[in-house]
Amino acid sequence: MKFRDFLSLLDSKGVLQHYKEPISTQLEIASYLKKNDGKPILFENVKESSIPVVGNLMSSMDLVAMGMGIEKGSFIEKMISSIESAKGRSNIAISNKQAFSYIEPDLDAIPILKHYPLDQGPYITSGVVFAERYGIRNISFHRLAKLGKDRLVGRLVEKRDLHSMYIDAKEHGEDLDVAISIGNSIGVLLAAATSVEKDFYELNIAGELEGRIEIVKAKSNNIYYPVDSEIVLEGKILHDETAKEGPFLDLTETYDIVREQPVFAIEKIAIKKEPIYHALLPGGNEHKILMGAPRAPTIYKSIKEAGVDVRDVYLTEGGSGWLDAVISIRKRSEGDPRLAIDAAIKGHKSLKKITVVDDDIDITNPNEVNYAVTMYWEAGKEVVMKGVKGSSLDPMATPDGIGSKLCIDATRPLNVPEEKKLKMSRVR
C-alpha cells in the first residue's frame, strides 16, 4: 500500500492520531512517539519546518497487516510467496510522471529528528538508500546523521551489500551514486528490510507486495527511485571523506559506539507537493518490527525444510525484534522442538533466545507464551549454548557477536499418562 493511501486508511479507521499543538523536532516529537508507541501519530505543527511528521506507522503487526491488506496470520505466507515470485519476474515500471519539485540541497528545511539526548544529533532513520554499481542494484535501510545543509554521515554495516558497493567504488577512486527515499510504501519498507542474495534486487519484492512499483530517474545521477516517495535526497557516498558517526540509540535501546563512517553529499532534493516526513523511532516498536518481521519468513522456511510442521514465527518486541523468537509447531514427535531450534538458528544466527510452543498458543501474546513456558517446560527440556555466534547487538556478547543462546521447549508431551490428561487439557 502506498504511503499516502496507508495514512488515509488509518485516518478513515480512526487509528491515526492528529497532534495539532506546536512541537519540536529536537527530542519532543521522539518523546511523544515513545510515550505512545504502537499508535500512529501525525504531527501537523512542527516548529522547525512546514513539513508535517508522522511516526509509529508500522508499530504493531496489526498495522503491518493493515498496510499489506492481509490478515495478521498471513504475513509469513505473503512474504515468502512475494519473495519467490520476485525471483522470476519484475513488477517495476519506469514512469513519466512529474511527481516532484527539485530544490537545491538544504537539509535544514526537512524536519529531521533528534531522538535522544546523547545522540550525535538529528538522524534520518526511515530513509531507504537506493544504489547501483556494475548493474547490481540494492535498497536498504541506513541511519544517517545530519552534518550540515548538504552532508550526512551514514552507518554502513561491514560486508553488507551497500558497504561492498562503497568499498569497490572507493578502491577505484570513485564516488557511489545514491538516492535516499523517505516516505515509502509498505512494500518498499518491508523489501528494504529483507535480506536476499546479492544479485537479487529487493525492489522486485516490493513490486510483488504492491502489485506494481513505478520508478523515476534522479535529476542528478542515474539512480531510479519510487515515484510515490515523499522526499528523496539525491547524491553520492564520497570515496574520500569520512566523519565520526554516533552515539546513536539502537535497536536494543542502548547506545551504539562512535565509528568513522562514509559521508553522503546531497546534490538535489526531490520533494512532493505538501510532503509528509516519516519518522522511525529508534528502539521503538516500528524499528523492532521492521528489523524482525522480515526475518520471520527466513526462519519459517528453514524450519519447514527441516521437516517440522511449523505454524508461525514471531520475533518479539521484548527481544528488540531481533534476538528473541517464539515458534509455534504442530508437534508430531518429541524431537520436533529440537529440530525447530537448530533450524531457527540456521535461519537467523543472531537469535539469543528461542521458545517453541504448540500451535494453540498465540505467539504474539507474551502472556500466552509465558503460560506455555510456565505450564509445559521442565528441567532438561531446555538447550543452553555457550560461545556460539550470535549478534553484536547482544550486550552480553563479544564485539564480534560471540555469546550464548537459551532455547526452551514449551510444548506439551505427546504421550501423557492417564492421570495427567485432565491437567494437560487446556480450555480455550
Side-chain angles (χ1 to χ4, degrees):
M1 188 175 295
K2 296 175 183 178
F3 181 80
R4 293 285 181 105
D5 291 344
F6 188 41
L7 294 186
S8 296
L9 177 63
L10 294 176
D11 219 6
S12 69
K13 291 182 175 292
V15 175
L16 182 66
Q17 295 185 21
H18 290 256
Y19 190 95
K20 299 180 181 295
E21 298 300 316
I23 192 165
S24 174
T25 58
Q26 304 303 295
L27 303 179
E28 290 182 358
I29 290 178
S31 176
Y32 197 86
L33 288 172
K34 184 72 173 176
K35 290 174 184 174
N36 295 274
D37 206 352
K39 300 174 183 177
I41 305 168
L42 177 65
F43 300 93
E44 299 179 358
N45 190 355
V46 179
K47 291 179 181 178
E48 294 85 356
S49 174
S50 61
I51 300 173
V53 173
V54 69
N56 291 348
L57 276 188
M58 298 174 69
S59 53
S60 74
M61 287 307 296
D62 289 316
L63 290 167
V64 172
M66 193 185 303
M68 294 174 73
I70 61 171
E71 296 295 323
K72 184 169 70 170
S74 302
F75 173 79
I76 290 176
E77 179 184 355
K78 180 65 174 178
M79 287 299 297
I80 289 175
S81 67
S82 296
I83 292 168
E84 291 303 314
S85 297
K87 292 178 180 178
R89 64 184 179 188
S90 174
N91 274 336
I92 303 172
I94 296 175
S95 173
N96 294 317
K97 291 179 183 175
Q98 302 299 314
F100 299 100
S101 298
Y102 297 88
I103 62 174
E104 294 308 302
D106 181 7
L107 295 175
D108 290 343
I110 299 171
I112 305 172
L113 306 190
K114 182 174 182 180
H115 302 93
Y116 298 98
L118 298 183
D119 281 351
Q120 173 180 356
Y123 266 90
I124 296 171
T125 49
S126 69
V128 172
V129 179
F130 287 71
E132 180 175 353
R133 187 161 179 81
Y134 299 140
I136 302 297
R137 294 169 292 171
N138 175 255
I139 66 171
S140 48
F141 282 99
H142 299 273
R143 68 187 192 231
L144 299 155
K146 179 184 166 189
L147 297 178
K149 286 195 172 187
D150 66 347
R151 287 290 193 275
L152 299 160
V153 58
R155 168 66 174 134
L156 303 190
V157 177
E158 293 74 11
K159 298 182 180 178
R160 293 192 181 169
D161 289 350
L162 186 63
H163 182 265
S164 297
M165 289 179 173
Y166 159 72
I167 291 297
D168 184 77
K170 181 181 175 72
E171 288 174 349
H172 287 82
E174 299 169 359
D175 299 329
L176 179 67
D177 288 343
V178 295
I180 303 157
S181 175
I182 303 166
N184 295 288
S185 70
I186 304 304
V188 169
L189 292 171
L190 289 170
T194 300
S195 293
V196 291
E197 51 267 34
K198 189 173 184 179
D199 60 349
F200 183 2
Y201 190 30
E202 296 89 347
L203 194 61
N204 286 328
I205 302 171
E208 293 299 315
L209 290 169
E210 299 287 340
R212 179 183 172 91
I213 293 287
E214 292 186 280
I215 56 173
V216 292
K217 185 176 176 293
K219 286 287 187 184
S220 60
N221 59 38
N222 290 318
I223 302 299
Y224 286 81
Y225 49 79
V227 72
D228 296 310
S229 308
E230 293 290 306
I231 301 166
V232 184
L233 311 178
E234 301 180 3
K236 55 187 63 178
I237 306 177
L238 302 176
H239 74 278
D240 58 354
E241 187 176 341
T242 62
K244 300 292 184 187
E245 188 277 320
F248 175 83
L249 191 131
D250 210 337
L251 186 69
T252 52
E253 301 178 62
T254 57
Y255 280 94
D256 199 4
I257 63 172
V258 178
R259 299 176 181 85
E260 196 73 18
Q261 292 288 289
V263 167
F264 290 59
I266 307 306
E267 298 176 316
K268 192 76 70 177
I269 298 178
I271 195 162
K272 256 207 176 130
K273 185 178 180 181
E274 298 180 352
I276 299 172
Y277 181 88
H278 178 198
L280 196 155
L281 180 69
N285 286 347
E286 186 172 20
H287 187 186
K288 294 169 183 176
I289 285 171
L290 276 174
M291 279 285 284
R295 291 299 185 281
T298 306
I299 297 169
Y300 182 96
K301 188 177 178 184
S302 181
I303 297 170
K304 194 90 170 173
E305 289 171 352
V308 178
D309 189 1
V310 57
R311 312 309 293 175
D312 206 354
V313 175
Y314 180 62
L315 284 98
T316 72
E317 285 89 345
S320 295
W322 195 249
L323 301 173
D324 176 30
V326 184
I327 300 158
S328 69
I329 66 172
R330 188 166 290 164
K331 188 167 149 182
R332 295 177 298 198
S333 76
E334 294 297 348
D336 279 354
R338 181 57 196 262
L339 286 173
I341 287 166
D342 290 340
I345 294 169
K346 181 182 177 183
H348 183 44
K349 289 182 172 60
S350 292
L351 289 174
K352 181 178 183 178
K353 179 168 166 274
I354 301 168
T355 307
V356 183
V357 299
D358 293 302
D359 65 342
D360 63 337
I361 299 295
D362 178 0
I363 61 175
T364 67
N365 184 333
N367 291 328
E368 288 256 320
V369 176
N370 187 47
Y371 174 93
V373 172
T374 303
M375 297 302 170
Y376 305 129
W377 167 81
E378 60 180 344
K381 287 180 72 177
E382 76 284 342
V383 177
V384 177
M385 303 177 185
K386 296 182 180 180
V388 293
K389 180 63 179 173
S391 171
S392 59
L393 289 173
D394 174 8
M396 301 304 291
T398 63
D400 57 350
I402 301 301
S404 303
K405 299 185 189 294
L406 172 62
C407 311
I408 300 169
D409 176 2
T411 60
R412 292 185 293 274
L414 290 173
N415 298 313
V416 180
E418 194 64 38
E419 65 272 16
K420 283 191 173 182
K421 281 187 177 178
L422 278 175
K423 284 187 177 181
M424 290 287 181
S425 299
R426 187 181 177 209
V427 177
R428 297 295 292 173

